[in-house]
Amino acid sequence: MASSDCHFYGPEEEKQRLEARVEKFDASAWLRQRNTLLFGCPSRKPSAFIDSSSSRLHNPYAGVGYAWQLTETLEAFLTRLPPATTDRTDDVPWIFICNPYVSSRERQTRDGGPLEGNQDEAPAEKGGQLHLVARGAAERLELLADLTQKVTSSGASPTFIARELSSARAQAAADILNLAHAGRVRTGKWMLFHPAVAVNEVWELVARATANNELGVAAKVAPRAPFDDVRSDRLVCIYTADFMDRCDVGRVLKRLRELKLAGSDQRRIYYKPDIYTYIGISSGNPWGLSASIYNSGDFS
């Protein structure tokens, strides 16, 4: 949001201070100022991640009990961890499968940092600056909250306030996504919700397609929660390498449609960048941001 777009009422000095803070927030500069290696953001094709040699398969979840292992068949994996009846515990927070043909990935580690408990998103891109990006994104959310408070208490008309907040939120979201992309926190996921009675069948389709290099970099499914209601839907996530790569995001959606897991005759599904999960941007968040950046209706 350029300063010329933000005209909320209030003391002139305070107004200028907030406008300057918004205008000066720059993802690349934020990373450089903290003496952190800044990686470029080239447009990447899916082939850049693919190891064409079938004899060199990769699994960042090697040795993790709740993930598929290259030493077991898919049938054995699906039998060992059927999501409909596998209980969620500290040892089994999710059930995971990675695309074995995708290299340059590593598992997020539990280091006791501010993201403790959120490690089970997509395997990380090597060189990713997750904790640094999360701190920068949190600062940007604080700035948005500050600006929101000033605008809503300005005494301006509801129409003016709505317009200003819409602009402020759009710019904050863009800044956070640009920061994440610059810091190589680029993964995101299509989210499917299916009833427990169908989750084994859905998960088998997703797992086989992931292992066969037909979808994204990884996928996961929610195990059975304590006191699970069989009427409650289970979450299945299909991860892609780069949330800004609309071609790849759309390609994965196309395959999901071919598998009858998404389509015009079903409810829309949504795509969420992992950085949103890491910093707590979910449905009904206090900043008024959308919890997703795409939905299946955005792709023909």
Side-chain angles (χ1 to χ4, degrees), residues 32 46 81 144-145 206 209 241 256 264 277:
R32 285 197 300 269
L81 293 168
L144 175 61
V206 169
L256 291 174
S264 58
T277 301

Side-chain angles (χ1 to χ4, degrees), residues 12-300:
E12 186 64 25
E13 182 178 347
E14 179 69 6
K15 171 184 173 182
Q16 292 177 355
R17 182 184 69 83
L18 283 173
E19 289 179 349
R21 286 177 63 196
V22 172
E23 186 174 10
K24 289 180 180 178
F25 189 92
D26 179 83
S28 298
W30 194 94
L31 289 172
R32 285 197 300 269
Q33 288 167 1
R34 283 146 183 81
N35 298 316
T36 301
L37 180 61
L38 176 64
F39 296 90
C41 305
S43 175
R44 296 198 310 258
K45 302 299 182 184
S47 59
F49 294 100
I50 302 303
D51 188 335
S52 59
S53 171
S54 60
S55 64
R56 296 182 59 188
L57 302 179
H58 305 267
N59 184 12
Y61 278 76
V64 176
Y66 57 85
W68 177 50
Q69 303 299 300
L70 297 180
T71 54
E72 65 182 339
T73 65
L74 271 174
E75 288 73 14
F77 166 66
L78 294 168
T79 300
R80 178 169 64 88
L81 293 168
T85 53
T86 298
D87 291 328
R88 187 183 70 200
T89 66
D90 289 342
D91 293 329
V92 186
W94 295 95
I95 300 170
F96 238 105
I97 187 167
C98 290
N99 183 337
Y101 298 95
V102 175
S103 59
S104 301
R105 296 276 137 185
E106 56 190 13
R107 184 187 175 211
Q108 296 287 358
T109 57
R110 297 182 180 273
D111 59 3
L115 302 177
E116 181 70 19
N118 282 331
Q119 289 81 1
D120 292 318
E121 291 302 322
E125 182 177 345
K126 289 183 179 178
Q129 303 292 302
L130 174 56
H131 286 75
L132 182 67
V133 167
R135 288 201 301 272
E139 287 187 18
R140 188 61 181 87
L141 289 177
E142 290 177 4
L143 175 57
L144 175 61
D146 193 5
L147 187 60
T148 298
Q149 192 277 327
K150 296 296 181 183
V151 171
T152 54
S153 62
S154 66
S157 70
T159 300
F160 174 88
I161 290 174
R163 184 176 67 246
E164 292 298 308
L165 291 183
S166 177
S167 178
R169 288 164 179 158
Q171 187 59 55
D175 287 342
I176 289 168
L177 294 176
N178 287 334
L179 178 63
H181 206 266
R184 291 192 173 184
V185 183
R186 305 176 186 180
T187 50
K189 63 263 188 183
W190 284 110
M191 299 177 292
L192 308 178
F193 293 89
H194 287 273
V197 294
V199 71
N200 280 357
E201 180 182 357
V202 169
W203 177 239
E204 180 175 354
L205 290 172
V206 169
R208 290 188 182 280
T210 300
N212 290 332
N213 194 28
E214 298 171 12
L215 290 174
V217 298
K220 74 178 181 184
V221 61
R224 181 172 59 186
F227 312 108
D228 181 57
D229 185 341
V230 295
R231 297 168 297 180
S232 299
D233 286 347
R234 299 284 189 88
L235 173 62
V236 180
C237 295
I238 298 92
Y239 292 94
T240 75
D242 186 343
F243 57 76
M244 285 191 179
D245 189 342
R246 283 183 61 101
C247 289
D248 189 49
V249 171
R251 176 193 63 80
V252 172
L253 175 62
K254 180 176 182 292
R255 184 61 182 133
L256 291 174
R257 286 170 169 162
E258 292 169 349
L259 293 170
K260 310 301 183 185
L261 297 176
S264 58
D265 59 336
Q266 301 178 5
R267 62 186 178 185
R268 286 185 175 182
I269 63 173
Y270 293 85
Y271 183 96
K272 182 175 184 177
D274 284 351
I275 185 58
Y276 277 17
T277 301
Y278 289 130
I279 62 176
I281 298 179
S282 56
S283 179
N285 64 81
W287 307 282
L289 296 176
S290 173
S292 62
I293 60 173
Y294 308 122
N295 68 69
S296 52
D298 296 329
F299 299 82
S300 58

